[in-house]
Amino acid sequence: RKEVEQDPGPFNVPEGATVAFNCTYSNSASQSFFWYRQDCRKEPKLLMSVYSSGNEDGRFTAQLNRASQYISLLIRDSKLSDSATYLCAVISNAGNMLTFGGGTRLMVKP
Amino acid sequence: ETGVTQSPTHLIKTRGQQVTLRCSSQSGHNTVSWYQQALGQGPQFIFQYYREEENGRGNFPPRFSGLQFPNYSSELNVNALELDDSALYLCASSLDPSYEQYFGPGTRLTVT
């Protein structure tokens, strides 16, 4: 079993839709959680850190469920420009390395 | 923009050759991590440098080596290149090892 797993998609949604992605992690000692966005052939860009209490940034909401060991990302009112691959990443309590999932591809259609 | 820069942007090498990739961290960041991303996969951790010392290593062979300079910029060296080393090499800088990591634009390495 991979340490961090994501549904690769693609998720094809119309503009204006709400879409949610989950990401599961296997190491219960994981301490820090992140969502990155990656456009084709570009570097990952930090979208959000995920806090225990959950956090929101505009149309984006991230949640952490420690009991079930998953994090989620909700995108409301999807825009064409949201089309990208969304990577979740986890840092274990060992401290430093980001372990990434394989990414979920989102395609927002007009 | 993250302020993290990498060079070169693209590189083509032949199997068996050696390559050096460079990364300049964001101002004020003392930690640089290197990742390898194959097509269609998430980035894989190679190693991290913190204040000029290696601070963790992923599951990569010793022919992957690196160093960090006093200004916190970093190099990744790969010896005896193999075809499977073809990938996007990403460096990420952070304020310290446990903080958010910000990626540079990457170096795309092709080994033929």
Side-chain angles (χ1 to χ4, degrees):
Chain A
R1 182 186 172 188
K2 291 184 180 178
E3 193 169 339
V4 180
E5 292 197 83
Q6 296 182 251
D7 181 342
F11 285 58
N12 293 298
V13 303
E15 261 188 299
T18 295
V19 62
F21 312 131
N22 280 347
C23 166
T24 59
Y25 60 95
S26 61
N27 185 347
S28 60
S30 297
Q31 291 295 319
S32 303
F33 308 88
F34 307 92
W35 282 103
Y36 283 83
R37 170 201 169 118
Q38 187 171 29
D39 293 293
C40 188
R41 301 182 74 81
K42 298 285 191 181
E43 74 276 21
K45 292 187 188 297
L46 181 64
L47 187 62
M48 301 176 80
S49 301
V50 187
Y51 305 117
S52 296
S53 56
N55 46 308
E56 187 174 313
D57 183 2
R59 298 182 294 109
F60 298 83
T61 300
Q63 297 279 351
L64 167 63
N65 185 317
R66 284 193 183 273
S68 300
Q69 294 185 202
Y70 73 86
I71 61 173
S72 63
L73 178 67
L74 181 80
I75 305 175
R76 289 180 297 278
D77 187 24
S78 298
K79 312 289 185 192
L80 296 176
S81 57
D82 294 333
S83 298
T85 295
Y86 290 83
L87 295 158
C88 68
V90 170
I91 295 181
S92 75
N93 67 343
N96 54 4
M97 58 179 272
L98 282 171
T99 301
F100 282 88
T104 297
R105 190 171 172 209
L106 171 65
M107 298 182 70
V108 181
K109 304 288 179 87
Chain B
E1 297 297 330
T2 63
V4 183
T5 61
Q6 290 187 245
S7 62
T9 306
H10 296 88
L11 203 52
I12 300 175
K13 289 286 192 177
T14 303
R15 191 170 48 184
Q17 285 187 314
Q18 177 266 341
V19 68
T20 297
L21 310 181
R22 295 178 175 83
C23 171
S24 292
S25 59
Q26 188 177 135
S27 178
H29 286 191
N30 58 26
T31 304
V32 171
S33 305
W34 286 92
Y35 294 83
Q36 179 196 67
Q37 186 175 25
L39 207 58
Q41 297 182 24
Q44 299 291 315
F45 177 74
I46 303 175
F47 42 58
Q48 182 182 84
Y49 280 86
Y50 170 55
R51 294 186 173 180
E52 303 179 62
E53 298 286 330
E54 187 178 288
N55 186 46
R57 188 178 181 93
N59 190 25
F60 280 81
R63 59 190 185 84
F64 285 77
S65 63
L67 68 159
Q68 188 177 34
F69 299 99
N71 67 355
Y72 302 131
S73 65
S74 177
E75 285 184 355
L76 163 65
N77 299 290
V78 187
N79 293 323
L81 284 166
E82 301 177 359
L83 297 178
D84 284 350
D85 295 334
S86 295
L88 179 66
Y89 287 85
L90 296 158
C91 81
S93 84
S94 53
L95 200 56
D96 100 355
S98 61
Y99 278 68
E100 292 94 346
Q101 297 185 17
Y102 297 89
F103 285 85
T107 294
R108 191 163 297 280
L109 173 65
T110 302
V111 182
T112 62

